[in-house]
Amino acid sequence: MEAVCLDMHPQLLLAEDDLELRELLVLVLSRAGYQVTSCNNGRQLLEQLEHADQYDLVVSDVRMPVLTGLEVLESQIDNPCCPPFIFMTAFGDEVTHAAARRLGASATIDKPFDLDEMIELVHSTYLRTKA
């Protein structure tokens, strides 16, 4: 796992209901140069997105308690400040991937995933949005 050289510390919002995975992702993404704010369900994600302009990127589980990641993204369709979304899912069927694309997600990655692959996906998505 390699740290990414970034000129600044991009703000990343992470939503994952599994405590161990959430803590691991906070650790590796922080080490990769991102400032990570985390939440454990869709309601918390939605509340954090009230300050969407302070985040450069969202990494969210698809299936979470209260609201799904897809429901949260759908609620942000008319929000011009909504940052790009990367979804993670353990249920990576084509219907889920298609729904994420239709709602405007930048990418969807299936669990389990390689941590280096996640870091690269986050980094490339961040750089695309800043180009």
Side-chain angles (χ1 to χ4, degrees):
M1 181 170 9
E2 239 175 79
V4 175
C5 289
L6 301 169
D7 293 334
M8 59 185 123
H9 297 285
Q11 301 291 320
L12 191 143
L13 179 56
L14 171 69
E16 170 58 59
D17 60 315
D18 179 86
L19 175 63
E20 291 81 18
L21 180 55
R22 186 173 63 248
E23 289 177 346
L24 178 61
L25 288 171
V26 167
L27 177 68
V28 299
L29 291 167
S30 296
R31 286 185 178 171
Y34 295 88
Q35 291 189 351
V36 182
T37 301
S38 67
C39 46
N40 64 16
N41 65 52
R43 179 179 300 141
Q44 288 179 356
L45 174 59
L46 187 59
E47 289 169 358
Q48 287 296 319
L49 285 171
E50 290 177 8
H51 312 286
D53 59 334
Q54 76 183 39
Y55 298 107
D56 296 299
L57 191 62
V58 174
V59 176
S60 176
D61 193 2
V62 170
R63 292 191 184 179
M64 293 184 290
V66 187
L67 292 169
T68 69
L70 294 173
E71 290 170 329
V72 172
L73 180 56
E74 185 173 27
S75 77
Q76 299 299 303
I77 286 177
D78 293 327
N79 180 355
C81 296
C82 184
F85 266 65
I86 294 173
F87 281 116
M88 318 173 269
T89 182
F91 307 94
D93 57 48
E94 186 51 40
V95 172
T96 301
H97 283 259
R101 281 191 305 273
R102 181 178 44 78
L103 292 171
S106 296
T108 303
I109 188 169
D110 292 330
K111 297 177 186 177
F113 49 78
D114 179 82
L115 291 174
D116 287 332
E117 182 183 355
M118 173 59 86
I119 291 168
E120 179 55 37
L121 179 59
V122 167
H123 184 62
S124 64
T125 302
Y126 171 73
L127 290 177
R128 253 192 337 264
T129 64
K130 297 304 171 191

